[in-house]
Structures are given as structure tokens and as C-alpha cells.
Amino acid sequence: MSHSRFESIGAYLPSTVVTTKELLSLLKQPPSFDLEKITGVKERRVHDTRPESYEDSFTLALNAAQDCLSRSRYEAGDLDVVISTSITRSKHATRMYMEPSFAGSISRRIGAKKAITFDVSNACAGMLTGTYILDRMIRSGAVRNGLVVSGEAITPIADTAVNEISEKYDLQFASLSVGDSAAAVVLDEAVDDKDMIHYVELMTAAEYAHLCLGMPSDKTQGVALYTDNRRMHNEDRFLLGTDSQRNFLEARGKTFADENFDYVIHHQFGAAAIPWMNAICEREFGSPMPPDLRVIEKYGNTSTTSHFIVLHDQLGAQNIPTGSKLLMIPAASGIVTGFLSATISSLKV
């Protein structure tokens, strides 16, 4: 069976920067802990809210898709599939769209007239889920290529949190770590093992789903995210991913050490949590973890785009040498975990 690869990558980050100190200064009741130290988020990008230049999640996604295609060998009209994976599906400030699909709207705007289009929603694992689906479609021979894109204008949950938090510990504190962004990748069939998605697997443990819920606020007109970090980010939850990956490798007669990963990219949800996750991985795999790439300090938790914002940023900084083998590990509400292994050689920013 053939494999897919990452053929091109694009991203878009709004120009407005809001620091954590600025955000916390708006709270009626400051947290009882150092939010910047725990999350590692010093600043984040926030979408333009001026009426004449308003950036909604559709606008962000469209910009990332166009950026991605600007360095792709394919024109928009060559794409067989367009998959949108945004959590936020806003067109202007107060409207959330389910239909028509974002993928359909994006494909029409970029000129992907013949593409199969559909949306996928899987919390912060969205873009990895879109990659998983498109990888399978390419490997099966059903399509030749496709675009996975996500735009997240998610900071309105931070606005709600600022207005509503009144306790020293509140389920909305995680909302203060998010940032707005968009990312896109084109996948096509791999021609050699120097550019290849070796495997991508995901799993969901629904018994944890109630620990992180996005919904209309129960206090105001805003949209809110309620996250029980103390119960969700624990060792039992992290072991779901390590157990799954170890079982996957053992079934193929391999160990984690055999994979020789050069870098790991975790979901960017907390600077303090990532070293802990790496320590658990090292204990469970009996092997050192590769260096982790992160950008959480300057972009925050960008939800579905997280791994690809890191990849785009680090490629642009020339921090990923040609031929590097990457491991991407999702950590999404649901709970969704898993792993993606890919070798990157020709991908450029």
C-alpha cells in the first residue's frame, strides 16, 4: 500500500498581540497561581475585530489555504479533496455556521471546483483527524491529493472568561491560554521514504468527554469553555496515548527506540505539562524522548492548528533539518490521543 506525505504547508497569524499580563489585568479576581508560568503563554495573537477588517475563522482559514497553495506544486483546481477541521465556524462576529460546510465555502473561494468537500470536528485533534482521513483516502487510491485546513477565531472564549471569572480557581482559566490562528497542509502520494507519513493513528476515550466542554455561557451572551484541568490532565489520561503507541509498535515487532525520532511536537496546551508528558513517555517506552518543538510562549494554545503552527514556525526558523523524522502527539478534549510519524525533507516555508 502506498503512503502519503506533507507536500506543502501554510499558516496565518493575526497581527494583534495580547500578552498574558494584559489579559490578567482585566480579571476581577486574579488567579491563585502563576498562569503564565504554568501555561508558558507569554502572549497570543488575537483576530482583528474592527468592523472594516473583521477576521473571523473563515477569513483566517482562507488566508492559510492560500498561503499553503502559494508554495504547492498544485493549483487549487488540481485538488481532489478539501477538508475543514475548525472548531470555530464563524462568519463575522455573532454568527456560527454549520451549513453550508466551511470546506465547501473555502473550496469555492480558492477555486477548487472539482474537490470533494466536507467538515470534520474533533476538538483540538481536528487537523490531525483531517490528516488521518486524507492519508487513508490517498493510500487507498481513492484520491491523489487534498487540502486540510483550519481557522480558529477562538479568543472569544477568553473574553467570556475575563468577564465571568470570579473565583481564584475557575473552570474557565484554560480559556485564558488560547490564541487565534489558521493552518493548512496539502497531502499527496509519497514518492520515497524521505518525505512520508509513515503512520497516523487516533483513539478516543469518551469517558473523559465531560471534563472539557465548549458551549454558550450559562451566565452571559458569550461562548465559554469549561475545563477541569485537575481531573483531565493526569497520568491515567496520558497513559492512554503511550499504551496505544506501544501496542501499535509491538504488533509490528518494533520499539519506540527503533523509530529514531528527531523531534516530537505535542499539542501546545501547557509548558509545564509537556515535560511531564515526556517523562511519562520515557518511563513507559524505556527510551529517551527526542527534543520537543514548541511555540506556546508566543502563540498560546491554538487548538486544532497547534501542531502545524509549530511545524510552520520551526520550518520558517530553519530549526528542522532536511530528513528529520517527527512524532506528533495530539491531546484533545474527548479525550482524543494518538500519534503521527512523518519524515520531512522537501517541506519548506
Side-chain angles (χ1 to χ4, degrees):
M1 184 178 289
S2 63
H3 288 263
S4 70
R5 65 168 180 169
F6 292 121
E7 187 269 341
S8 59
I9 186 170
Y12 178 78
L13 291 155
S15 58
T16 302
V17 176
V18 175
T19 68
T20 296
K21 290 181 179 179
E22 289 172 330
L23 199 60
L24 292 180
S25 70
L26 302 175
L27 289 174
K28 301 172 186 175
Q29 179 68 51
S32 57
F33 48 85
D34 189 333
L35 187 71
E36 183 173 314
K37 181 178 180 180
I38 291 174
T39 64
V41 182
K42 294 183 179 180
E43 58 188 39
R44 77 278 292 133
R45 300 297 179 91
V46 176
H47 65 112
D48 193 337
T49 57
R50 294 173 296 176
E52 68 274 13
S53 54
Y54 195 92
E55 293 177 319
D56 50 36
S57 55
F58 180 80
T59 305
L60 301 180
L62 187 61
N63 287 336
Q66 291 169 334
D67 182 53
C68 182
L69 288 170
S70 73
R71 57 180 64 93
S72 173
R73 68 170 64 187
Y74 301 105
E75 301 289 337
D78 299 325
L79 296 175
D80 291 336
V81 187
V82 173
I83 306 173
S84 173
T85 67
S86 306
I87 296 172
T88 56
R89 301 185 188 187
S90 57
K91 289 185 179 179
H92 209 267
T94 60
R95 295 184 179 274
M96 187 72 73
Y97 281 77
M98 295 295 113
E99 295 291 342
S101 73
F102 255 41
S105 298
I106 290 168
S107 68
R108 285 188 288 274
R109 287 289 295 273
I110 64 176
K113 297 180 180 179
K114 69 175 185 177
I116 302 166
T117 62
F118 57 91
D119 294 351
V120 173
S121 183
N122 198 16
C124 288
M127 277 198 73
L128 286 178
T129 303
T131 299
Y132 169 89
I133 294 170
L134 184 52
D135 169 76
R136 296 304 197 267
M137 295 177 77
I138 292 171
R139 289 172 62 186
S140 72
V143 301
R144 299 168 302 162
N145 59 47
L147 174 79
V148 179
V149 60
S150 179
E152 298 291 10
I154 202 166
T155 52
I157 65 173
D159 297 335
T160 303
V162 163
N163 291 330
E164 296 185 2
I165 288 175
S166 59
E167 305 292 335
K168 287 188 175 293
Y169 178 77
D170 191 286
L171 295 181
Q172 291 194 65
F173 272 127
S175 303
L176 301 177
S177 69
V178 302
D180 297 329
S181 69
V185 284
V186 167
L187 273 64
D188 66 2
E189 186 174 353
V191 296
D192 55 45
D193 59 6
K194 295 178 182 178
D195 263 310
M196 179 183 291
I197 297 176
H198 305 288
Y199 50 80
V200 51
E201 299 290 337
L202 298 171
M203 65 166 291
T204 300
E207 62 266 32
Y208 299 95
H210 63 287
L211 299 181
C212 186
L213 299 173
M215 62 181 70
S217 167
D218 57 9
K219 295 180 181 178
T220 67
Q221 297 280 325
V223 61
L225 182 73
Y226 302 101
T227 308
D228 190 339
N229 283 303
R230 291 173 176 171
R231 295 176 61 196
M232 189 167 73
H233 299 313
N234 58 53
E235 184 169 331
D236 287 344
R237 205 278 292 163
F238 294 147
L239 288 175
L240 293 170
T242 55
D243 289 348
S244 176
Q245 188 169 4
R246 186 175 57 246
N247 292 339
F248 176 87
L249 292 172
E250 286 178 352
R252 288 152 181 78
K254 294 185 177 182
T255 66
F256 185 84
D258 293 334
E259 295 298 278
N260 292 314
F261 290 113
D262 295 299
Y263 300 100
V264 59
I265 302 176
H266 290 279
H267 177 50
Q268 304 289 284
F269 69 93
I274 290 173
W276 183 36
M277 290 176 67
N278 282 332
I280 292 173
C281 289
E282 290 187 354
R283 185 193 71 201
E284 295 299 307
F285 294 140
S287 175
M289 287 292 283
D292 68 82
L293 303 175
R294 64 178 83 170
V295 295
I296 190 170
E297 69 282 351
K298 57 183 177 179
Y299 301 135
N301 179 351
T302 59
S303 59
T304 60
T305 71
S306 177
H307 297 82
F308 296 96
I309 290 294
V310 174
L311 182 57
H312 183 274
D313 180 272
Q314 295 297 291
L315 284 169
Q318 299 184 339
N319 290 335
I320 303 177
T322 297
S324 294
K325 190 174 183 180
L326 309 181
L327 171 64
M328 295 185 180
I329 301 178
S333 306
I335 294 289
V336 184
T337 185
F339 42 90
L340 180 150
S341 169
T343 297
I344 304 295
S345 291
S346 62
L347 199 63
K348 305 295 181 184
V349 170

